Amino acid sequence: MKRHSTWFLLLVAAMVLFAFAGCGGGADEDLPEGPGDIPEEVQAIMDNVTGLAANYALQLDGEWADLYAACLASGEGRDFDGYDDLKATLDQFRIESGAYYVYILTDMDPNDEYFEITVDGSEDPDDWMYQYEVEGQFNVAQGGEPCAAMSAWDNDVDDPVWSAFAPVYDSEGNVVGILGIDYPAPEILDFPEWNRDSDDWNGMEV
């Protein structure tokens, strides 16, 4: 997700599917039309990245999320007194997990088609409130369910990455943002149909 390019997925309005691993369970009739079963190697990537996102998001619930909500409410962005602490936590997750990027997205305006990136635990952070077009997995995570994307994307040449997202709750049980993790997935070099930046992409999306 953490890249500015034209790979963003087209979404079908009001369509949030929970059919694949990392996005909850569902009956067979809920499965999107597609090329068949997900290869075991691809499923393992999805499960791993979804697990990372879910486990790290749990560590943000409560105190961290309350501070994050206060940061948003202050309108001060990166000048907020606790911002460095917020970012340091995400930086630690990135280093610990081996992820390329770890960040928080918040839907600042549910009436538009964007989520905004805020705290960015990256070596080269995006601008505060940089907008990313809505993807299906964003909406699933915002609704309370950890969810992986249905395809990888190219971070660089021969460097595919898989992304997953999970909800972050404040101490009152409100989702204040979603944690995104972009994780290296070199295995996808053998499965170009599961890379949205490949000419062979199968078109699968959440």
Side-chain angles (χ1 to χ4, degrees), residues 165-201:
F165 303 86
V168 176
Y169 295 90
D170 67 14
S171 58
E172 295 182 355
N174 302 306
V175 176
V176 296
I178 60 175
L179 177 69
I181 291 189
D182 299 341
Y183 199 80
E187 300 91 338
I188 298 302
L189 291 173
D190 294 329
F191 299 92
E193 67 275 20
W194 292 94
N195 184 339
R196 73 192 71 168
D197 286 329
S198 168
D199 291 339
D200 297 323
W201 181 41

Side-chain angles (χ1 to χ4, degrees), residues 2-201:
K2 180 66 165 52
R3 185 193 57 170
H4 308 159
S5 75
T6 59
W7 64 264
F8 295 110
L9 305 179
L10 296 175
L11 299 174
V12 178
M15 184 176 180
V16 178
L17 301 175
F18 296 85
F20 289 89
C23 302
D28 289 344
E29 61 267 26
D30 291 331
L31 294 175
E33 295 182 6
D37 293 337
I38 301 173
E40 290 183 7
E41 297 89 340
V42 174
Q43 187 67 65
I45 295 167
M46 295 174 66
D47 291 345
N48 179 52
V49 183
T50 303
L52 287 172
N55 289 332
Y56 283 127
L58 284 173
Q59 297 181 47
L60 301 180
D61 289 348
E63 184 177 352
W64 189 98
D66 289 345
L67 183 62
Y68 174 66
C71 178
L72 289 182
S74 74
E76 296 175 352
R78 291 177 178 164
D79 293 328
F80 179 68
D81 191 45
Y83 177 83
D84 289 344
D85 291 335
L86 294 171
K87 185 180 186 309
T89 299
L90 301 191
D91 285 335
Q92 182 59 39
F93 290 169
R94 173 177 53 80
I95 294 167
E96 179 180 288
S97 68
Y100 283 159
Y101 310 109
V102 178
Y103 47 89
I104 295 290
L105 294 170
T106 295
D107 188 4
M108 299 301 296
D109 182 359
N111 295 315
D112 68 15
E113 298 180 353
Y114 300 96
F115 273 62
E116 285 73 24
I117 193 166
T118 52
V119 183
D120 187 354
S122 303
E123 294 182 84
D124 184 20
D126 273 343
D127 292 338
W128 178 263
M129 291 292 173
Y130 183 88
Q131 292 183 316
Y132 280 91
E133 293 183 38
V134 172
E135 300 177 17
Q137 52 269 20
F138 296 0
N139 286 329
V140 175
Q142 180 69 26
E145 189 78 18
C147 188
M150 285 301 299
S151 59
W153 53 273
D154 285 338
N155 185 53
D156 204 344
V157 177
D158 292 336
D159 186 21
V161 173
W162 208 289
S163 302
F165 303 86
V168 176
Y169 295 90
D170 67 14
S171 58
E172 295 182 355
N174 302 306
V175 176
V176 296
I178 60 175
L179 177 69
I181 291 189
D182 299 341
Y183 199 80
E187 300 91 338
I188 298 302
L189 291 173
D190 294 329
F191 299 92
E193 67 275 20
W194 292 94
N195 184 339
R196 73 192 71 168
D197 286 329
S198 168
D199 291 339
D200 297 323
W201 181 41

